[in-house]
Amino acid sequence: MDVDIIGLDVRTGSRVIETKAIAERFGKSERSLNRCGTTILHRLGDNECLEQLASDSATTALQNSGVSIESIGGIYASCCCPTTQYLMPGLARI
């Protein structure tokens, strides 16, 4: 059985940084900040890693879909980011 699961769960780093603070630090104008559309960024906390966030997200998505982990033969990640609010590396290891 082939199953595609898309967009059923999201995990982000726990450290939240406002883009306004970054813009001010580098002397960027308010206009420049407003044009990018991003208001906050999520960074990994001290005890977080992309592998664990991806694993937790995939496990939740599988539980929500009713597919058992034992039936999974492979995982393929696409490079998709529908919103600038959740920028993460598209090919992060899963």
Side-chain angles (χ1 to χ4, degrees):
M1 161 177 48
D2 291 339
V3 176
D4 291 330
I5 299 174
I6 300 172
L8 294 180
D9 194 48
V10 173
R11 292 288 195 279
T12 60
S14 63
R15 292 177 52 207
V16 177
I17 299 172
E18 292 186 14
T19 52
K20 184 176 181 179
I22 297 171
E24 288 173 354
R25 180 173 181 170
F26 290 98
K28 297 294 180 180
S29 68
E30 188 78 23
R31 180 176 179 264
S32 175
L33 180 63
N34 291 335
R35 286 185 359 199
C36 82
T38 301
T39 56
I40 58 173
L41 299 173
H42 296 266
R43 297 190 68 180
L44 297 178
D46 292 338
N47 296 318
E48 294 174 321
C49 66
L50 287 176
E51 292 85 358
Q52 189 60 52
L53 291 175
S55 175
D56 292 347
S57 183
T59 299
T60 300
L62 289 172
Q63 290 169 344
N64 291 341
S65 70
V67 175
S68 70
I69 293 176
E70 292 78 20
S71 67
I72 303 299
I75 297 175
Y76 302 91
S78 65
C79 292
C80 166
C81 187
T83 172
T84 58
Q85 292 289 63
Y86 299 104
L87 293 174
M88 293 292 269
L91 293 176
R93 298 191 313 250
I94 296 180

